[in-house]
CSV table of all heavy atoms in Angstrom, one decimal:
chain,number,residue,atom,x,y,z
A,56,ASN,N,18.9,-7.6,-40.7
A,56,ASN,CA,17.8,-8.5,-40.2
A,56,ASN,C,16.4,-8.1,-40.7
A,56,ASN,O,15.6,-8.9,-40.9
A,56,ASN,CB,17.9,-8.5,-38.7
A,56,ASN,CG,19.0,-9.3,-38.1
A,56,ASN,OD1,19.6,-10.1,-38.8
A,56,ASN,ND2,19.4,-9.1,-36.9
A,57,PHE,N,16.3,-6.8,-40.8
A,57,PHE,CA,15.0,-6.3,-41.4
A,57,PHE,C,14.8,-6.8,-42.8
A,57,PHE,O,13.7,-7.2,-43.2
A,57,PHE,CB,15.0,-4.8,-41.3
A,57,PHE,CG,13.7,-4.2,-41.9
A,57,PHE,CD1,12.5,-4.3,-41.2
A,57,PHE,CD2,13.7,-3.5,-43.1
A,57,PHE,CE1,11.3,-3.8,-41.7
A,57,PHE,CE2,12.5,-3.0,-43.6
A,57,PHE,CZ,11.3,-3.1,-42.9
A,58,VAL,N,15.9,-6.7,-43.6
A,58,VAL,CA,15.8,-7.1,-45.0
A,58,VAL,C,15.5,-8.6,-45.1
A,58,VAL,O,14.7,-9.1,-45.9
A,58,VAL,CB,17.1,-6.8,-45.8
A,58,VAL,CG1,17.1,-7.4,-47.1
A,58,VAL,CG2,17.2,-5.3,-45.9
A,59,LYS,N,16.2,-9.4,-44.2
A,59,LYS,CA,16.1,-10.9,-44.3
A,59,LYS,C,14.9,-11.4,-43.7
A,59,LYS,O,14.3,-12.4,-44.3
A,59,LYS,CB,17.3,-11.5,-43.6
A,59,LYS,CG,18.7,-11.3,-44.3
A,59,LYS,CD,19.7,-12.2,-43.8
A,59,LYS,CE,20.1,-11.9,-42.4
A,59,LYS,NZ,21.3,-12.7,-41.9
A,60,TYR,N,14.4,-10.8,-42.6
A,60,TYR,CA,13.3,-11.5,-41.9
A,60,TYR,C,12.0,-10.7,-41.9
A,60,TYR,O,11.0,-11.2,-41.3
A,60,TYR,CB,13.8,-11.7,-40.4
A,60,TYR,CG,15.0,-12.6,-40.4
A,60,TYR,CD1,16.2,-12.0,-39.9
A,60,TYR,CD2,15.0,-13.9,-40.7
A,60,TYR,CE1,17.4,-12.8,-39.9
A,60,TYR,CE2,16.1,-14.7,-40.7
A,60,TYR,CZ,17.3,-14.2,-40.2
A,60,TYR,OH,18.4,-14.9,-40.2
A,61,ASP,N,11.9,-9.7,-42.6
A,61,ASP,CA,10.7,-8.9,-42.7
A,61,ASP,C,9.5,-9.8,-43.2
A,61,ASP,O,8.5,-9.9,-42.6
A,61,ASP,CB,10.8,-7.7,-43.6
A,61,ASP,CG,9.5,-7.0,-43.9
A,61,ASP,OD1,8.8,-6.7,-42.9
A,61,ASP,OD2,9.1,-6.8,-45.0
A,62,ALA,N,9.8,-10.5,-44.3
A,62,ALA,CA,8.8,-11.4,-44.9
A,62,ALA,C,8.8,-12.7,-44.2
A,62,ALA,O,7.7,-13.3,-44.0
A,62,ALA,CB,9.0,-11.6,-46.4
A,63,LEU,N,10.0,-13.2,-43.9
A,63,LEU,CA,10.1,-14.5,-43.2
A,63,LEU,C,9.4,-14.6,-41.9
A,63,LEU,O,8.8,-15.6,-41.5
A,63,LEU,CB,11.6,-14.9,-43.1
A,63,LEU,CG,11.9,-16.3,-42.6
A,63,LEU,CD1,11.5,-17.3,-43.7
A,63,LEU,CD2,13.4,-16.4,-42.4
A,64,ALA,N,9.4,-13.5,-41.2
A,64,ALA,CA,8.7,-13.5,-39.8
A,64,ALA,C,7.2,-13.8,-40.0
A,64,ALA,O,6.6,-14.3,-39.1
A,64,ALA,CB,9.0,-12.2,-39.2
A,65,ARG,N,6.7,-13.3,-41.1
A,65,ARG,CA,5.2,-13.6,-41.3
A,65,ARG,C,5.0,-14.9,-41.9
A,65,ARG,O,4.0,-15.6,-41.6
A,65,ARG,CB,4.7,-12.4,-42.2
A,65,ARG,CG,4.7,-11.1,-41.6
A,65,ARG,CD,4.0,-10.1,-42.4
A,65,ARG,NE,4.5,-9.9,-43.7
A,65,ARG,CZ,5.4,-9.0,-44.0
A,65,ARG,NH1,5.9,-8.2,-43.1
A,65,ARG,NH2,5.9,-8.9,-45.3
A,66,ALA,N,5.8,-15.3,-42.8
A,66,ALA,CA,5.6,-16.5,-43.6
A,66,ALA,C,5.9,-17.8,-42.9
A,66,ALA,O,5.3,-18.9,-43.1
A,66,ALA,CB,6.4,-16.5,-44.9
A,67,LYS,N,6.9,-17.8,-41.9
A,67,LYS,CA,7.4,-19.0,-41.3
A,67,LYS,C,7.5,-18.8,-39.8
A,67,LYS,O,8.5,-19.2,-39.2
A,67,LYS,CB,8.8,-19.4,-41.9
A,67,LYS,CG,8.7,-19.8,-43.4
A,67,LYS,CD,10.1,-20.2,-43.9
A,67,LYS,CE,10.0,-20.6,-45.3
A,67,LYS,NZ,11.3,-21.0,-45.8
A,68,LYS,N,6.5,-18.3,-39.2
A,68,LYS,CA,6.5,-18.0,-37.8
A,68,LYS,C,6.8,-19.3,-37.0
A,68,LYS,O,7.5,-19.3,-36.0
A,68,LYS,CB,5.2,-17.4,-37.3
A,68,LYS,CG,5.2,-15.9,-37.7
A,68,LYS,CD,3.9,-15.3,-37.2
A,68,LYS,CE,3.8,-13.8,-37.5
A,68,LYS,NZ,2.5,-13.2,-37.0
A,69,ARG,N,6.2,-20.4,-37.4
A,69,ARG,CA,6.2,-21.6,-36.6
A,69,ARG,C,7.6,-22.3,-36.7
A,69,ARG,O,8.2,-22.7,-35.7
A,69,ARG,CB,5.1,-22.6,-37.0
A,69,ARG,CG,3.7,-22.1,-36.7
A,69,ARG,CD,2.7,-23.1,-37.1
A,69,ARG,NE,1.4,-22.7,-36.8
A,69,ARG,CZ,0.3,-23.4,-37.1
A,69,ARG,NH1,0.4,-24.6,-37.7
A,69,ARG,NH2,-0.9,-22.9,-36.8
A,70,THR,N,8.1,-22.3,-37.9
A,70,THR,CA,9.4,-23.1,-38.1
A,70,THR,C,10.6,-22.3,-37.5
A,70,THR,O,11.6,-23.0,-37.2
A,70,THR,CB,9.6,-23.3,-39.6
A,70,THR,OG1,9.6,-22.1,-40.3
A,70,THR,CG2,8.5,-24.2,-40.2
A,71,MET,N,10.5,-21.0,-37.3
A,71,MET,CA,11.7,-20.3,-36.8
A,71,MET,C,11.3,-19.4,-35.6
A,71,MET,O,11.9,-18.4,-35.4
A,71,MET,CB,12.2,-19.4,-37.9
A,71,MET,CG,12.9,-20.1,-39.0
A,71,MET,SD,13.8,-19.0,-40.1
A,71,MET,CE,15.1,-18.4,-39.0
A,72,ARG,N,10.3,-19.8,-34.9
A,72,ARG,CA,9.8,-19.0,-33.8
A,72,ARG,C,10.8,-18.6,-32.8
A,72,ARG,O,11.0,-17.5,-32.5
A,72,ARG,CB,8.6,-19.7,-33.1
A,72,ARG,CG,7.9,-18.8,-32.2
A,72,ARG,CD,6.8,-19.5,-31.4
A,72,ARG,NE,6.1,-20.5,-32.2
A,72,ARG,CZ,5.1,-21.2,-31.8
A,72,ARG,NH1,4.6,-20.9,-30.6
A,72,ARG,NH2,4.6,-22.2,-32.5
A,73,SER,N,11.5,-19.6,-32.2
A,73,SER,CA,12.5,-19.3,-31.2
A,73,SER,C,13.7,-18.5,-31.7
A,73,SER,O,14.0,-17.5,-31.0
A,73,SER,CB,13.0,-20.7,-30.6
A,73,SER,OG,12.0,-21.4,-30.0
A,74,GLU,N,14.2,-18.9,-32.8
A,74,GLU,CA,15.4,-18.2,-33.3
A,74,GLU,C,15.0,-16.7,-33.7
A,74,GLU,O,15.7,-15.8,-33.5
A,74,GLU,CB,15.9,-18.9,-34.5
A,74,GLU,CG,17.2,-18.3,-35.0
A,74,GLU,CD,17.9,-19.1,-36.1
A,74,GLU,OE1,17.2,-19.2,-37.2
A,74,GLU,OE2,19.0,-19.5,-35.9
A,75,LEU,N,13.8,-16.6,-34.3
A,75,LEU,CA,13.3,-15.3,-34.7
A,75,LEU,C,13.1,-14.4,-33.5
A,75,LEU,O,13.4,-13.2,-33.6
A,75,LEU,CB,12.0,-15.4,-35.5
A,75,LEU,CG,12.2,-15.5,-37.0
A,75,LEU,CD1,10.8,-15.7,-37.7
A,75,LEU,CD2,13.0,-14.4,-37.6
A,76,LYS,N,12.7,-14.9,-32.4
A,76,LYS,CA,12.5,-14.1,-31.2
A,76,LYS,C,13.8,-13.6,-30.7
A,76,LYS,O,13.9,-12.4,-30.3
A,76,LYS,CB,11.8,-15.0,-30.1
A,76,LYS,CG,10.3,-15.2,-30.3
A,76,LYS,CD,9.7,-16.0,-29.1
A,76,LYS,CE,8.2,-16.1,-29.3
A,76,LYS,NZ,7.6,-16.9,-28.2
A,77,LEU,N,14.8,-14.5,-30.7
A,77,LEU,CA,16.2,-14.0,-30.3
A,77,LEU,C,16.7,-13.0,-31.3
A,77,LEU,O,17.3,-12.0,-30.8
A,77,LEU,CB,17.1,-15.2,-30.2
A,77,LEU,CG,16.9,-16.2,-29.1
A,77,LEU,CD1,17.8,-17.4,-29.2
A,77,LEU,CD2,17.1,-15.5,-27.7
A,78,ILE,N,16.5,-13.2,-32.6
A,78,ILE,CA,17.0,-12.2,-33.5
A,78,ILE,C,16.3,-10.9,-33.4
A,78,ILE,O,16.9,-9.8,-33.5
A,78,ILE,CB,16.9,-12.8,-35.0
A,78,ILE,CG1,17.8,-14.0,-35.2
A,78,ILE,CG2,17.1,-11.7,-36.0
A,78,ILE,CD1,17.7,-14.7,-36.5
A,79,THR,N,15.0,-11.0,-33.1
A,79,THR,CA,14.2,-9.8,-32.9
A,79,THR,C,14.7,-9.0,-31.7
A,79,THR,O,14.8,-7.8,-31.7
A,79,THR,CB,12.7,-10.1,-32.8
A,79,THR,OG1,12.2,-10.8,-33.9
A,79,THR,CG2,11.9,-8.9,-32.6
A,80,LEU,N,15.0,-9.8,-30.6
A,80,LEU,CA,15.5,-9.1,-29.4
A,80,LEU,C,16.8,-8.5,-29.7
A,80,LEU,O,17.0,-7.3,-29.3
A,80,LEU,CB,15.7,-10.2,-28.3
A,80,LEU,CG,16.3,-9.7,-27.0
A,80,LEU,CD1,15.4,-8.6,-26.3
A,80,LEU,CD2,16.5,-10.9,-26.0
A,81,LEU,N,17.7,-9.2,-30.4
A,81,LEU,CA,19.0,-8.6,-30.7
A,81,LEU,C,18.9,-7.4,-31.6
A,81,LEU,O,19.6,-6.3,-31.3
A,81,LEU,CB,19.9,-9.7,-31.4
A,81,LEU,CG,21.2,-9.2,-32.0
A,81,LEU,CD1,22.2,-8.8,-30.8
A,81,LEU,CD2,21.9,-10.3,-32.8
A,82,SER,N,18.0,-7.4,-32.5
A,82,SER,CA,17.8,-6.3,-33.4
A,82,SER,C,17.2,-5.1,-32.7
A,82,SER,O,17.5,-3.9,-33.0
A,82,SER,CB,16.8,-6.7,-34.6
A,82,SER,OG,17.4,-7.8,-35.3
A,83,SER,N,16.3,-5.4,-31.7
A,83,SER,CA,15.7,-4.3,-30.9
A,83,SER,C,16.7,-3.6,-30.1
A,83,SER,O,16.8,-2.4,-30.0
A,83,SER,CB,14.6,-4.9,-30.0
A,83,SER,OG,13.6,-5.5,-30.8
A,84,ILE,N,17.6,-4.4,-29.4
A,84,ILE,CA,18.7,-3.8,-28.6
A,84,ILE,C,19.6,-3.0,-29.5
A,84,ILE,O,20.0,-1.9,-29.2
A,84,ILE,CB,19.5,-4.9,-27.9
A,84,ILE,CG1,18.6,-5.6,-26.9
A,84,ILE,CG2,20.7,-4.3,-27.2
A,84,ILE,CD1,19.2,-6.9,-26.3
A,85,SER,N,19.9,-3.6,-30.7
A,85,SER,CA,20.8,-2.9,-31.6
A,85,SER,C,20.1,-1.6,-32.1
A,85,SER,O,20.8,-0.6,-32.3
A,85,SER,CB,21.1,-3.8,-32.8
A,85,SER,OG,21.8,-4.9,-32.5
Side-chain angles (χ1 to χ4, degrees):
N56 286 343
F57 180 71
V58 169
K59 287 193 294 185
Y60 301 112
D61 173 53
L63 189 62
R65 294 189 298 268
K67 297 182 179 180
K68 282 183 179 178
R69 293 183 180 178
T70 57
M71 290 190 66
R72 190 183 329 183
S73 298
E74 188 175 61
L75 271 178
K76 284 182 178 179
L77 288 174
I78 291 173
T79 301
L80 177 61
L81 174 65
S82 300
S83 299
I84 295 171
S85 299

